[in-house]
Amino acid sequence: MARSGVAGSSAAGRRVGENRLVDGVRAYRMITAMWIRSTMAYRASFAMTTLGNFAATALDFVAILLMFSRVDALGGYALPEVAFLYGLSSVSFGLADLAIGSMDRLGRRLRDGTLDTLLVRPAPVLAQVAADRFALRRLGRVTQGALVLTYALWTVDIDWTVPKLLLMPVALVSGAGIFGAVFVAGAAFQFVAQDASEAQNAFTYGGTTLLQYPPTIFGTELVRGVTFVLPLAFVNWLPAAYVLDRPYPLGLPGWVAFTPPLVAVACGALAGLAWRAGLRTYRSTGS
């Protein structure tokens, strides 16, 4: 009887979790659809803001081009190889930023008390915060990164194999998942710090800027930190080392290039726990 009761409660818990996941996806889809309709009501404005987003992010790659106007290699990497790193990082981050980039607005809601309005709605708070003010203009960053990645794939000398071909889409999706987990974890931290959007941006926007450059130009301690503490290296440094036939940072074994999906799942689980812990500590402003 005891075992039966435990099994029944476990099954009930799984059903509750599945229902919350379905409700969250449904709420996210409905809210983002609302913001997309609102955005497309002003198509000229959407086109201009998307183009502006494209141009602003392109300046990062222009800076890299200016560096290579003076040098032939950066940390032993030629321009097409650095472009490959840049493209992987930019597309992965762009997808995460497009999906849940609004998480950094949580601090403002905590200060003015408008998070209370989300708590009383019959939908998971995380889905509502992630979809809040969904900005379709962020496609400009994804497009710009994809163009640089296309240029890199066209110009870099890669000995393509089936594992390398399969790793490319896996690395992009996994990288987006890792960055998404960082967004959620950063938002969870804001429950404690109240307004830590700049600190959060240091790990999201700062993280993607870091990954645009070869690991060989950074100190060992920094590379170790973004591999074992905040595992951003799994976004592009490790998969790129396998695709480009480059030495792995820190002398890691070759099979780690295929672990980004596992790292993304682990980061997502930890970020979810942090989010739930932060949400439990929330106290309304009372106004």
Side-chain angles (χ1 to χ4, degrees):
M1 291 294 291
R3 291 182 179 178
S4 177
V6 171
S9 62
S10 176
R14 285 197 299 270
R15 285 195 296 270
V16 170
E18 292 171 357
N19 291 337
R20 287 187 62 81
L21 177 61
V22 171
D23 291 341
V25 172
R26 183 184 299 113
Y28 178 86
R29 186 175 65 248
M30 293 175 64
I31 296 171
T32 54
M34 176 191 69
W35 283 108
I36 291 174
R37 287 195 299 270
S38 175
T39 299
M40 298 310 293
Y42 304 93
R43 296 179 184 273
S45 175
F46 163 70
M48 288 187 291
T49 54
T50 303
L51 182 61
N53 187 270
F54 178 96
T57 55
L59 292 177
D60 292 337
F61 191 65
V62 170
I64 293 175
L65 292 176
L66 291 175
M67 290 183 192
F68 275 94
S69 68
R70 293 287 183 264
V71 299
D72 295 327
L74 188 62
Y77 282 63
L79 176 59
E81 294 173 310
V82 174
F84 184 73
L85 294 176
Y86 179 99
L88 281 177
S89 173
S90 294
V91 173
S92 294
F93 176 78
L95 292 173
D97 190 37
L98 174 67
I100 59 174
S102 298
M103 296 295 296
D104 59 4
R105 296 176 54 84
L106 180 63
R108 187 178 307 174
R109 286 190 173 276
L110 292 172
R111 292 196 312 274
D112 59 24
T114 54
L115 183 63
D116 294 359
T117 62
L118 305 185
L119 291 172
V120 299
R121 293 175 182 170
V125 179
L126 179 59
Q128 296 183 68
V129 175
D132 185 36
R133 296 187 179 276
F134 182 84
L136 199 59
R137 68 177 182 277
R138 291 172 178 152
L139 281 172
R141 177 185 291 273
V142 179
T143 304
Q144 186 266 336
L147 289 176
V148 174
L149 182 59
T150 301
Y151 156 76
L153 293 174
W154 184 263
T155 56
V156 74
D157 185 17
I158 299 176
D159 182 18
W160 288 107
T161 61
V162 172
K164 289 181 180 181
L165 288 171
L166 295 177
L167 183 60
M168 286 297 298
V170 171
L172 290 173
V173 174
S174 300
I178 293 171
F179 272 123
V182 176
F183 270 111
V184 174
F189 178 68
Q190 294 195 50
F191 283 109
V192 178
Q194 295 300 311
D195 186 11
S197 58
E198 294 304 321
Q200 178 179 350
N201 291 342
F203 292 101
T204 52
Y205 292 92
T208 187
T209 301
L210 173 77
L211 296 177
Q212 290 168 1
Y213 296 91
T216 49
I217 69 173
F218 299 107
T220 303
E221 294 304 319
L222 177 60
V223 175
R224 187 175 288 118
V226 296
T227 303
F228 300 113
V229 181
L230 184 67
L232 295 178
F234 292 85
V235 173
N236 68 341
W237 282 353
L238 296 174
Y242 177 79
V243 175
L244 298 175
D245 294 316
R246 284 279 185 172
Y248 286 78
L250 307 175
L252 294 171
W255 54 263
V256 298
F258 297 91
T259 59
L262 299 177
V263 174
V265 171
C267 289
L270 292 174
L273 292 174
W275 171 264
R276 287 192 289 271
L279 191 60
R280 284 196 296 268
T281 66
Y282 173 67
R283 298 294 182 269
S284 173
T285 59
S287 60

